[in-house]
Amino acid sequence: MAKKPAPSKAVAKPASTVIPSDLAGADLPGESPQKSSPIPSDAAVSLSYAETQGPGGETRQVAGDGIPILTSAQGIPVADDQNSLKQGVRGPTLLEDAHFREKIFHFDHERIPERVVHARGYGAHGFFELTESLADVSRADIFQRVGERTPAFVRFSTVAGSKGSFDLARDVRGFAVKLYTQEGNWDLVGNNIPVFFIQDAMKFPDLVHAAKPEPDRDFPQAQTAHDNFWDFVSLSPESIHMIMWTMSDRAIPRSFRTMEGFGVHTFRLLDAAGKSTFVKFHWKPKQGLQSVAWNEAVKINGADPDFHRRDLWDAINSGDFPEWELGVQLFDDAFADSFDFDVLDATKIIPEELVPVRIVGRLVLDRVVDNFFAETEQVAFCTQNVPPGIDFSNDPLLQGRNFSYLDTQIKRLGGPNFTHIPINAPKCPMAHFQQDGHMAMRNPKGRVNYEPNSWGPTQGGARENPARGFSSFAEAADGPKARVRSESFADHYSQARQFYVSQTPIEQKHIGDALVFELSKVERPDIRSRVVSHLLNVDAGLAATVANGLGLPLPAAAVAAREPIVDLPASDKLSIVKNGPATFKGRKLGLLLSDGADAGVVKALIKAVTAEGAVYEVIAPKVAGVTLSDGTTIAAKHKVDGGPSVLFDAVAVVVSAEGAALLALDAAAKDFVTDAFAHCKYIGIGVEAQPLFAKAGIAEDLDEACLPLGKAADGKAFVEAARALRFWPRELKVDLDAVG
Ligand code: HDD
């Protein structure tokens, strides 16, 4: 039994309020205790306390000493937030303790259900600016006035992992954009891949069940490298085109900022007369496309599971605002009828060579969220949110989504009033007669809550407007009611092949490597073999590589529902490498330093990196930093084992002879250089750094992407070389799969 405290302690107030004396009463940012007079004119109340504003502009009660007073959610000032109310010093806690009960009750309810897919996401605010009018084809207000800006919120996400999973999963990325237009919210809920796994929404629960952790064991988390996923794929040939994309480096992007976004489905634009033009939406990153290497992704997940969200947060906060162009592919019925595939089939693209992408605007993300939960977690995207001038096609995947998203938001956010949450509320005027329900925050005022009514425009409220209101394309539909898949959806391999042949050799190698990696995690040989049987319909070389990588006899090709077209032309736009950036701007250099490092070289390198519009982070034996050869000190961002090279686009090692000898003893420092080398990065090497490379075992292998940093001028040359981002020819020397 615990010892009874001495009586003197029992009566004294325990010293449990731990505000350091030097902070008590300090003016924290945004909390200046100046008095304001917010008393509404209709409330002749005299306050017994002063008021001040918190960081979000919220009013706070202020004590005589100027410190804001903690209150309960009911506004009742709190005397003690450290101890629950007890009967006797060591007695039971009392049910009467309203402050305790409120605090714990609220905490117990802090979580809402995570999204069933796309649970892990990260959002930011920005704007869309129209750069070319689409008034010729759409009456949508957002497309009318060049130069006009529309507020936007974007949420990027992975698909399969839970909310607490890691950013560099091999996965599709969500690219969901909410545009607060003057005629209502437009949600373009897309992905970073322009096709999808399935053609009919009926299959979505099966796809997602198969991809998520297996239900009995609840693993593997956030990965498709397991039997259930590949079993589903091997039995669903419609997914093979998407598989080519997810096994490519598109599924391991360097950053949200270096991904494309796609609306995926064919939508319609409608002009004022109701004339329809088909459209596909594209977001093209100004930063260029870039991905990481798979071995690197695996290590990033351990070193910094928040790699992508941190990258976006840092870029926006440093003023390096990511930007995408909005492109549209416009086409009419005649094109749709002549195209080799069905434009309603979400497993198909329309190559840009056939229908060029017309750039009509730009999306800029320039503000991080104030609060992750309030904004990123509570944002509710719904594919059915489209303003007048935009409409759906009959894509059966899109049609199913239009039901699913509203349903899921009601489940997730707990009721029909999720549009009252600021992140979801339109920024244009609204008027309707919907009312009540959980958490209703703005029921319409007045007596009239129905229409038609005869109370006149002021009291009676808003009226429908056939001219301005949303109208659907007057599409005629006929035919027997049936559960069918159109014959025009039957080709599953031709565009998979087109994607594969559009890749550079290194990208093709990565697709083969990814398939071998994933299928090597599949326990059942028959599933592995069935996947290869589909690959044979895509590309014989790829199928042979994968079969060889698995040590598997080549099976017979799967029977194709429709004979694949094998000579679709390659499309350069499908390659990441061919659409990479031209500069090192927005990238990050990892600079490994030691005490005594050559100050001239370090300073010149930093200057060159900064001039390029890139950033750098210093890695050092101690996080306090290093003292350079000229006596200047420079702070480090990471201690060596906390800043592995996988976190950087390129690395440089500038150390003194003693520093090199010290680091050569350290496994993390050796990993730093061997990983940078294995991941085909550009490496800058100071003159004294050689012993580290020698001890790491790569001194003999250094190639033309390992550049000397001997004099100040070398810094600029190094940064210019690193614009190429990766030196892929090296991979053929550092990877068994390249030779095996
Ligand atoms: Fe979905 C979320 C994208 C097919 C059902 N989906 C969700 C998000 C994105 C996509 C980006 C996350 C939105 C956010 O950040 O909050 N989904 C797609 C794309 C698809 C697709 C590009 C195919 C072209 N989705 C799809 C189908 C269904 C769903 C066929 C169901 C019939 N998707 C959902 C959902 C989610 C969702 C269950 C989970 C959370 C949410 O909606 O808000 O309703």
Side-chain angles (χ1 to χ4, degrees):
M1 201 183 158
K3 206 174 152 207
K4 205 173 171 185
S8 62
K9 276 193 188 154
V11 283
K13 173 87 177 157
S16 51
T17 305
V18 288
I19 302 171
S21 56
D22 57 339
L23 275 187
D27 278 358
L28 298 173
E31 294 181 315
S32 58
Q34 81 272 18
K35 194 172 167 176
S36 60
S37 51
I39 307 167
S41 55
D42 58 348
V45 183
S46 70
L47 296 177
S48 57
Y49 50 82
E51 288 186 352
T52 186
Q53 287 194 334
E58 70 278 15
T59 309
R60 292 169 167 186
Q61 302 177 22
V62 179
D65 56 7
I67 300 178
I69 298 171
L70 190 73
T71 73
S72 74
Q74 305 290 346
I76 298 166
V78 171
D80 181 344
D81 197 40
Q82 322 301 319
N83 302 293
S84 54
L85 186 68
K86 299 176 195 77
Q87 185 71 57
V89 173
R90 298 176 62 249
T93 301
L94 299 178
L95 201 56
E96 169 190 327
D97 188 347
H99 173 53
F100 168 80
R101 279 189 291 122
E102 182 200 85
K103 186 175 176 183
I104 298 298
F105 131 82
H106 200 278
F107 169 77
D108 291 345
H109 292 256
E110 274 180 7
R111 293 292 168 270
I112 59 174
E114 70 171 34
R115 289 164 172 81
V116 58
V117 281
H118 297 265
R120 182 168 178 81
Y122 209 62
H125 297 270
F127 62 85
F128 170 76
E129 183 179 306
L130 190 70
T131 54
E132 190 187 310
S133 167
L134 271 178
D136 54 331
V137 284
S138 175
R139 61 179 275 217
D141 191 72
I142 187 174
F143 291 141
Q144 303 306 307
R145 295 167 295 280
V146 169
E148 193 170 280
R149 292 184 173 186
T150 301
F153 184 78
V154 179
R155 183 175 179 273
F156 302 106
S157 47
T158 53
V159 179
S162 63
K163 192 168 173 293
S165 57
F166 36 85
D167 279 351
L168 254 297
R170 173 176 291 286
D171 201 353
V172 186
R173 297 300 184 288
F175 194 124
V177 184
K178 190 178 279 293
L179 295 151
Y180 303 89
T181 89
Q182 290 179 38
E183 281 190 343
N185 289 352
W186 174 26
D187 292 353
L188 186 54
V189 196
N191 282 340
N192 73 330
I193 290 178
V195 288
F196 202 62
F197 293 100
I198 48 170
Q199 298 172 320
D200 191 309
M202 182 69 122
K203 296 309 300 165
F204 193 68
D206 299 298
L207 165 73
V208 173
H209 289 176
K212 287 256 183 187
E214 298 186 1
D216 53 354
R217 59 210 68 186
D218 199 35
F219 60 80
Q221 175 62 246
Q223 43 201 307
T224 52
H226 60 110
D227 285 62
N228 282 5
F229 177 73
W230 287 100
D231 189 30
F232 178 86
V233 165
S234 70
L235 298 171
S236 312
E238 68 201 70
S239 62
I240 296 296
H241 185 196
M242 179 73 164
I243 288 297
M244 289 294 118
W245 287 80
T246 58
M247 293 300 111
S248 80
D249 294 343
R250 297 261 177 175
I252 40 173
R254 155 66 177 85
S255 158
F256 296 137
R257 300 180 291 137
T258 60
M259 316 188 303
E260 288 183 289
F262 301 93
V264 182
H265 313 280
T266 296
F267 290 84
R268 290 178 184 278
L269 296 179
L270 301 182
D271 70 11
K275 180 172 173 291
S276 154
T277 306
F278 286 125
V279 59
K280 290 233 183 218
F281 295 106
H282 299 244
W283 297 109
K284 290 188 175 284
K286 284 269 182 73
Q287 297 74 225
L289 302 187
Q290 194 197 335
S291 290
V292 300
W294 173 241
N295 179 271
E296 191 183 4
V298 169
K299 292 171 179 169
I300 291 172
N301 285 331
D304 185 4
D306 306 309
F307 188 71
H308 282 156
R309 53 177 63 185
R310 190 188 307 281
D311 171 270
L312 190 67
W313 176 267
D314 286 349
I316 294 175
N317 280 333
S318 72
D320 184 11
F321 302 141
E323 187 170 332
W324 288 259
E325 288 177 325
L326 175 66
V328 290
Q329 282 180 297
L330 301 175
F331 54 97
D332 57 14
D333 284 63
F335 171 84
D337 294 342
S338 67
F339 186 46
D340 283 328
F341 309 98
D342 198 323
V343 300
L344 302 183
D345 173 358
T347 67
K348 304 296 184 296
I349 59 160
I350 299 177
E352 294 189 29
E353 288 75 11
L354 282 184
V355 179
V357 172
R358 176 170 152 192
I359 301 299
V360 297
R362 65 189 193 111
L363 171 73
V364 178
L365 297 182
D366 60 1
R367 184 162 61 88
V368 299
V369 295
D370 288 331
N371 182 272
F372 177 86
F373 183 87
E375 293 152 73
T376 309
E377 193 61 9
Q378 291 200 121
V379 68
F381 294 95
C382 294
T383 50
Q384 71 276 16
N385 290 352
V386 293
I390 302 176
D391 200 3
F392 314 112
S393 70
N394 286 340
D395 176 340
L397 200 67
L398 176 59
Q399 298 274 327
R401 293 179 74 193
N402 287 345
F403 161 73
S404 182
Y405 288 73
L406 179 60
D407 190 41
T408 212
Q409 309 313 351
I410 292 169
K411 161 79 183 167
R412 224 164 51 77
L413 297 163
N417 289 321
F418 63 86
T419 53
H420 295 196
I421 300 172
I423 193 71
N424 294 321
K427 297 191 194 298
C428 64
M430 283 169 286
H432 54 74
F433 297 107
Q434 292 160 22
Q435 65 173 30
D436 302 354
H438 284 291
M439 313 287 171
M441 307 224 187
R442 40 151 212 265
N443 263 5
K445 285 189 179 167
R447 183 172 181 180
V448 186
N449 59 356
Y450 61 92
E451 66 90 29
N453 64 62
S454 60
W455 292 87
T458 310
Q459 285 190 67
R463 292 282 187 274
E464 63 202 18
N465 184 317
R468 285 279 312 280
F470 180 90
S471 44
S472 302
F473 177 61
E475 186 172 12
D478 201 2
K481 210 183 263 183
R483 293 188 188 277
V484 284
R485 191 75 58 94
S486 169
E487 176 57 28
S488 55
F489 283 36
D491 180 334
H492 304 314
Y493 302 111
S494 305
Q495 285 205 345
R497 175 178 177 77
Q498 183 176 34
F499 178 77
Y500 185 70
V501 301
S502 301
Q503 306 300 307
T504 59
I506 193 71
E507 292 173 293
Q508 289 187 338
K509 174 180 175 294
H510 290 173
I511 293 173
D513 289 351
L515 283 160
V516 172
F517 176 92
E518 297 251 325
L519 293 171
S520 295
K521 299 274 181 187
V522 168
E523 290 167 6
R524 275 178 43 192
D526 59 318
I527 297 177
R528 296 181 204 147
S529 184
R530 213 156 51 222
V531 174
V532 176
S533 76
H534 292 294
L535 298 179
L536 278 161
N537 290 333
V538 177
D539 184 82
L542 174 65
T545 305
V546 175
N548 182 36
L550 294 169
L552 189 84
L554 211 56
V559 178
R562 183 185 282 181
E563 199 54 34
I565 309 167
V566 293
D567 58 355
L568 290 175
S571 168
D572 281 351
K573 297 289 182 192
L574 302 181
S575 154
I576 298 173
V577 169
K578 288 181 194 163
N579 295 283
T583 81
F584 198 64
K585 182 175 184 302
R587 266 76 186 171
K588 194 187 280 181
L589 175 77
L591 187 48
L592 177 56
L593 301 179
S594 75
D595 280 338
D598 185 322
V601 168
V602 172
K603 287 178 182 171
L605 183 56
I606 289 176
K607 197 170 157 210
V609 168
T610 314
E612 183 84 356
V615 293
Y616 68 94
E617 285 176 0
V618 170
I619 305 106
K622 290 199 167 52
V623 78
V626 297
T627 305
L628 301 179
S629 59
D630 66 354
T632 22
T633 55
I634 178 163
K637 171 91 178 176
H638 308 277
K639 183 174 174 309
V640 178
D641 56 3
S645 61
V646 294
L647 303 181
F648 308 105
D649 297 285
V651 298
V653 184
V654 187
V655 289
S656 61
E658 303 76 56
L662 195 72
L663 288 171
L665 299 173
D666 186 54
K670 284 185 279 189
D671 282 352
F672 186 91
V673 293
T674 50
D675 272 349
F677 189 75
H679 302 144
C680 303
K681 288 180 181 166
Y682 279 76
I683 305 176
I685 306 178
V687 276
E688 314 273 22
Q690 281 293 340
L692 175 59
F693 289 82
K695 256 306 185 54
I698 53 172
E700 305 287 295
D701 304 319
L702 300 180
D703 51 36
E704 63 258 48
C706 304
L707 290 97
L709 291 172
K711 51 188 188 311
D714 290 343
K716 191 157 178 278
F718 172 71
V719 172
E720 280 170 9
R723 287 174 184 166
L725 300 177
R726 298 293 164 108
F727 182 64
W728 291 120
R730 189 190 298 152
E731 183 164 318
L732 306 177
K733 296 191 194 136
V734 295
D735 183 6
L736 181 62
D737 295 325
V739 287

